[in-house]
């Protein structure tokens, strides 16, 4: 039975991309071998690598003043690499904490250098993002870091803060290329591919050349952003198949009409589920405040754990998988990334209404 895949990551991939990869798996472009078996120094792979960088920048409307690095280790590795590359002795970085992943980024940076919490929404249970008045920046931070979308709490920045001359950095792992935004506001963006733009195994780092030039030289070679930029992400063996899949997904986003089209698609999907929450007369309790609701991760609770358990079991029985909330917070979470089809969200919204009628 086909399923509706609401997993938070690794997440659903476009069917057309999976079918393309399947058709090319044993024989890539007449080479008689799989892309999985090819040298990363081959002309075929170098073309894929270049295409992924070009497509990524084109979707964001960026030019040669930005580089795209295709790295490994996920966003968790970037928590450390960012600080290693830019936090020099005697400097500090500002962090805005809007959820669990922001906490992790902060903790890792603290292992390396001095940090300042410019704002934290922990006291309210991570239900929203700070206003401009709630941001308290240090005098001369090396960078200002935020998490654009918190998958666990289901909180997303609708509009990004103004940072002035301070380099703005973001972990966009869970909403990258899900909507248009002004990427020129950012000096660096990093994102694990496994939610919106590909499979697990590759992490995209978008970095402004001017900011890259400021990176420290005295870091281990493999951990240096400059190393990966100088070598076009080919310093060591890259995650070849993951980059190949990334390139195919970027092509799929292009074919839909780019980020404006994908944002309309995502907003319609999220609207169906939030409507089911809002029209349930309190049967479902959304976690995020309305102004900060995520378009990627819809999080909510039911009256008690027993009812949540029944909800998840019945949903899975109808082919809706991956709806359990993160193990650290429980509840229900519908992850509705780029590749999830509208019909899956319509089916979930209908199921929610029927379940509420039955148990309310």
């Amino acid at each position: 039975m086909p399923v509706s895949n609401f997993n938070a990551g690794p997440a659903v991939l476009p069917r057309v991309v999976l079918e393309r990869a399947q058709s090319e798996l044993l024989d890539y472009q007449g080479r008689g071998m799989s892309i999985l078996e090819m040298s990363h120094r081959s002309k075929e792979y170098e073309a894929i690598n270049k295409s992924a960088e070009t497509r990524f920048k084109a979707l964001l409307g960026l030019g040669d003043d930005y580089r795209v690095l295709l790295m490994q280790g996920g966003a968790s590795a970037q928590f450390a690499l960012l600080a290693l590359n830019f936090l020099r002795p005697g400097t500090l970085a500002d962090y805005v904490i809007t959820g669990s992943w922001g906490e992790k980024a902060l903790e890792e940076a603290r292992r390396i250098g001095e940090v300042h919490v410019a704002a934290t929404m922990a006291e309210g249970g991570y239900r929203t993002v700070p206003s401009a008045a709630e941001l308290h920046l240090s005098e001369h931070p090396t960078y200002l870091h935020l998490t654009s979308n918190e998958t666990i709490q289901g909180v997303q920045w609708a509009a990004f803060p103004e940072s002035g001359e301070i380099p703005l950095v973001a972990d966009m792992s869970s909403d990258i290329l899900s909507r248009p935004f002004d990427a020129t506001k950012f000096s660096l963006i990093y994102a694990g591919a496994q939610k919106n733009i590909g499979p697990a195994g590759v992490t995209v780092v978008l970095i402004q050349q001017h900011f890259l030039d400021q990176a420290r030289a005295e870091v281990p070679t493999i951990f240096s952003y400059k190393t990966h930029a100088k070598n076009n992400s080919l310093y060591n063996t890259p995650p070849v198949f993951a980059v190949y899949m990334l390139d195919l997904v970027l092509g799929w986003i292009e074919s839909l009409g780019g980020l404006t089209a994908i944002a309309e698609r995502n907003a319609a999907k999220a609207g169906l589920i939030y409507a089911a929450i809002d029209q349930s007369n309190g049967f479902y309790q959304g976690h995020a405040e309305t102004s900060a609701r995520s378009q990627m991760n819809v999080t909510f609770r039911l009256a008690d754990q027993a009812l949540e358990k029944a909800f998840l079991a019945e949903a899975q029985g109808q082919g809706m998988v991956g709806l359990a909330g993160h193990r650290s917070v429980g509840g229900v979470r519908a992850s509705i990334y780029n590749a999830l089809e509208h019909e899956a969200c319509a089916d979930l919204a209908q199921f929610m209404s029927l379940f509420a009628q039955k148990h309310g």
Side-chain angles (χ1 to χ4, degrees):
M1 177 179 75
V3 300
S4 295
N5 183 354
F6 293 96
N7 276 306
V12 60
L13 287 162
R15 183 177 180 86
V16 65
V17 168
L18 292 173
E19 290 172 345
R20 169 78 177 272
Q22 181 185 49
S23 72
E24 295 181 333
L25 185 62
L26 297 179
D27 183 1
Y28 181 73
Q29 295 190 352
R31 281 287 306 278
M33 67 178 79
S34 174
I35 191 69
L36 286 162
E37 304 168 288
M38 261 182 227
S39 169
H40 62 291
R41 306 296 182 190
S42 67
K43 68 181 190 321
E44 288 86 359
Y45 179 73
E46 288 193 0
I48 291 169
N49 192 78
K50 183 176 181 179
S51 176
E53 176 172 357
T54 300
R55 279 176 159 162
F56 191 89
K57 290 198 297 184
L59 284 164
L60 290 172
L62 298 174
D64 292 340
D65 53 336
Y66 280 84
R67 291 299 309 277
V68 172
L69 313 180
L70 304 174
M71 302 179 69
Q72 301 176 59
S76 295
Q78 296 303 319
F79 296 162
L81 295 185
L82 172 66
L84 280 171
N85 277 267
F86 292 104
L87 262 184
R88 290 177 171 83
T91 67
L92 61 76
D94 283 1
Y95 279 72
V96 179
I97 314 301
T98 53
S100 299
W101 292 108
E103 286 181 350
K104 292 180 184 296
L106 175 70
E107 290 168 7
E108 201 67 10
R110 273 187 174 143
R111 297 173 183 269
I112 295 161
E114 187 178 353
V115 295
H116 164 72
V117 177
T120 177
M121 311 312 290
E123 186 174 343
Y126 292 132
R127 296 178 183 275
T128 190
V129 300
S131 65
E134 292 173 303
L135 287 176
H136 303 288
L137 305 182
S138 54
E139 191 171 351
H140 297 294
T142 302
Y143 58 82
L144 170 63
H145 179 282
L146 60 83
T147 307
S148 60
N149 181 74
E150 285 284 357
T151 60
I152 294 176
Q153 285 79 21
V155 169
Q156 185 178 35
W157 291 81
F160 296 113
E162 297 296 331
S163 63
E165 297 299 314
I166 302 169
L168 186 59
V169 173
D171 173 5
M172 291 193 180
S173 293
S174 53
D175 65 350
I176 190 66
L177 301 190
S178 66
R179 55 178 175 167
F181 68 97
D182 182 4
T184 64
K185 293 181 66 169
F186 292 87
S187 294
L188 188 148
I189 292 168
Y190 59 91
Q194 67 271 13
K195 301 177 186 296
N196 272 309
I197 54 174
V202 62
T203 303
V204 178
V205 178
L206 175 74
I207 184 167
Q208 188 179 40
Q209 185 64 52
H210 176 69
F211 192 51
L212 176 63
D213 292 340
Q214 300 172 39
R216 299 175 64 189
E218 64 277 17
V219 293
T221 305
I222 192 65
F223 299 148
S224 169
Y225 289 134
K226 288 182 176 179
T227 296
H228 294 281
K230 180 181 178 181
N231 292 276
N232 297 316
S233 302
L234 296 171
Y235 174 74
N236 64 326
T237 306
V240 171
F241 192 74
V243 175
Y244 159 75
M245 291 291 288
L246 166 67
D247 185 49
L248 293 183
V249 174
L250 296 178
W252 171 77
I253 295 173
E254 288 175 344
S255 74
L256 294 181
L259 300 189
T260 298
I262 206 81
E264 292 173 356
R265 169 188 169 106
N266 288 332
K269 292 186 302 185
L272 291 170
I273 303 173
Y274 283 121
I277 294 172
D278 294 341
Q279 295 168 13
S280 70
N281 295 318
F283 185 83
Y284 301 110
Q285 294 288 331
H287 178 79
E289 292 184 10
T290 302
S291 62
R293 280 175 164 177
S294 171
Q295 299 287 291
M296 298 282 96
N297 309 97
V298 181
T299 54
F300 57 95
R301 303 301 301 251
L302 283 75
D304 54 57
Q305 291 186 3
L307 200 56
E308 288 174 354
K309 187 175 181 180
F311 177 94
L312 294 170
E314 287 190 32
Q316 182 153 346
Q318 296 190 30
M320 302 176 201
V321 302
L323 284 168
H326 190 271
R327 60 187 179 277
S328 64
V329 297
V332 182
R333 171 176 57 177
S335 296
I336 52 176
Y337 301 123
N338 283 350
L340 188 69
E341 295 295 339
H342 186 275
E343 291 76 12
C345 295
D347 289 344
L348 174 58
Q350 182 181 39
F351 168 76
M352 290 171 67
S353 297
L354 293 173
F355 188 89
Q357 292 174 22
K358 179 180 177 182
H359 297 277

